[in-house]
Each structure stands twice: as C-alpha cells, then as structure tokens.
Amino acid sequence: MANQASFQLNDYIFNEIMLRFDKELPKELTVDIMPSGIFHIKNNSFDLTIEFIAFKDNDTKNPFIKIKCNGNFLFQNIKSQDEIPEYFYSNSIAILFPYLRAFISVLTLQSNIPPLVLPTYNLSNLEKPLKENTTINE
C-alpha cells in the first residue's frame, strides 16, 4: 500500500499591508482574492500567497485594503508537483484564509475604526487559479 500524501501549515506571514480609510468603514466592499504558489522540490514545501484586495463603494481604482499573506506548507511523501493531491489546492487556501480574515479585523480595530469582519466566503473556486498560478522551484 502506497503512503498517502500529507501536508501541514508550517508558517505564515503578512508581508504586504495597505489600509486606506477616512473615518469610517465603507458601506459596500468589492473584494478580489488572488492565490498563487511556488512548489519547492528540494525541501518538499509549498509557498502559498493570497493577495486580498478590497475596494470601497465599487471604486475599483483605489483599494481600501491590500494585503498579501504568505503561508508555507510542508509535504510528506511528495516528490513532484504531479503528486500533489487535488484537495491540497482548495484545502490550503481554506487553512490560511482564516488567519487573513482575523488579521483584517485586528488591523482595522487597532486603526481606531470599527473592526471590519469579513463574511465567510466560499473559496472553492480559487482552486483552479491557484493551480494555474503555481510555479516550480527546483
């Protein structure tokens, strides 16, 4: 019987943060979430980047919030990108996104405005863009 692939979140960091506001939260937010990844063959890991951009009141030229969150996942029993199980792509986003969601709430609260609590999103449609935006680092 073959060993099943497994993975775990090793670490994460918010490495790009921009918050622009007046004195109150916008009434409507337009949200864009863009995932990308790098599979590192040498150390059997995957760097997932989630770029979260929110625009206020449908003003898609001036972001209200722009945050990049990088998560590092470690694999067991994976030797190539083809061996990464399909469920990894959707599950890795689902694992990392709550950290981003909580960070946005704390960031806005600490900015002395009412905290922005993002709703729960169905992120399953981000699996395909993540796969398409994944590169290999040997």
Side-chain angles (χ1 to χ4, degrees), residues 16 31-36 48-54 63 65-70 96-97 100 126:
E16 221 175 282
V31 171
D32 195 5
I33 303 169
M34 296 166 289
S36 60
L48 168 62
T49 299
I50 298 176
E51 184 174 7
F52 177 90
I53 303 175
I65 294 176
K66 183 176 180 181
I67 297 176
K68 277 190 182 178
C69 180
N70 289 333
L96 191 58
F97 192 78
L100 176 65
L126 296 176

Side-chain angles (χ1 to χ4, degrees), residues 50-131:
I50 298 176
E51 184 174 7
F52 177 90
I53 303 175
F55 304 93
K56 64 181 187 174
D57 304 321
N58 296 318
D59 178 10
T60 57
K61 293 183 182 181
N62 299 307
F64 166 66
I65 294 176
K66 183 176 180 181
I67 297 176
K68 277 190 182 178
C69 180
N70 289 333
N72 176 261
F73 291 84
L74 298 178
F75 286 112
Q76 291 180 352
N77 305 318
I78 299 288
K79 307 255 186 293
S80 71
Q81 186 178 9
D82 294 336
E83 293 179 11
I84 297 174
E86 290 295 312
Y87 61 83
F88 168 78
Y89 295 98
S90 60
N91 287 353
S92 62
I93 294 169
I95 290 168
L96 191 58
F97 192 78
Y99 294 99
L100 176 65
R101 187 173 180 258
F103 182 78
I104 289 170
S105 295
V106 170
L107 178 67
T108 53
L109 177 66
Q110 291 296 318
S111 299
N112 203 25
I113 59 175
L116 175 61
V117 180
L118 295 176
T120 303
Y121 293 109
N122 179 353
L123 303 172
S124 61
N125 62 336
L126 296 176
E127 176 182 342
K128 184 177 178 187
L130 176 56
K131 287 171 76 173

